[in-house]
Amino acid sequence: MKELKSKEYKKFEDIKHVREDGTEFWSARELALALDYIKWENFDKVIARAMIACENSGHNICYDFPEVRKIVEAGATSKSIKDEEDLLYAAI
């Protein structure tokens, strides 16, 4: 696989989260923006295909794609939105 250029690498490093145990993960919503998806619905389709591939390879999609809800402000109210937080989970 071709090495990431420093600009591309930094884009992903800037949105990387690290758990207390040292494992790394990326928020699907942040990742969608980094990959230039303008509409969440389009990236959600990519996630659905990735989940199918994950399941077909014998992995547990509940473990690799946990559904995380975040509260966002929506005008005068707030609502919960879905974010498959561990979309690109990696134990490095």
Side-chain angles (χ1 to χ4, degrees):
M1 188 164 99
K2 184 178 162 184
E3 290 289 323
L4 287 175
K5 296 178 184 171
S6 61
K7 181 180 174 183
E8 295 163 332
Y9 181 79
K10 182 173 177 1
K11 185 186 282 190
F12 292 102
E13 285 296 304
D14 287 346
I15 62 171
K16 177 176 70 177
H17 302 272
V18 181
R19 294 188 181 92
E20 288 182 19
D21 66 1
T23 56
E24 302 172 344
F25 67 95
W26 288 259
S27 161
R29 288 197 181 264
E30 293 171 347
L31 188 59
L33 294 174
L35 294 171
D36 296 327
Y37 280 86
I38 297 168
K39 294 180 70 179
W40 168 252
E41 293 80 11
N42 293 338
F43 193 63
D44 197 34
K45 292 174 187 176
V46 173
I47 294 170
R49 289 193 304 267
M51 292 171 91
I52 292 168
C54 181
E55 191 172 43
N56 288 343
S57 66
H59 293 270
N60 183 342
I61 60 171
C62 293
Y63 175 76
D64 291 328
F65 294 87
E67 184 176 306
V68 175
R69 297 232 168 228
K70 295 181 180 181
I71 303 298
V72 295
E73 296 300 319
T77 63
S78 59
K79 66 179 183 176
S80 175
I81 61 170
K82 182 172 75 167
D83 186 17
E84 284 88 355
E85 190 167 271
D86 284 356
L87 175 64
L88 288 182
Y89 172 78
I92 298 176

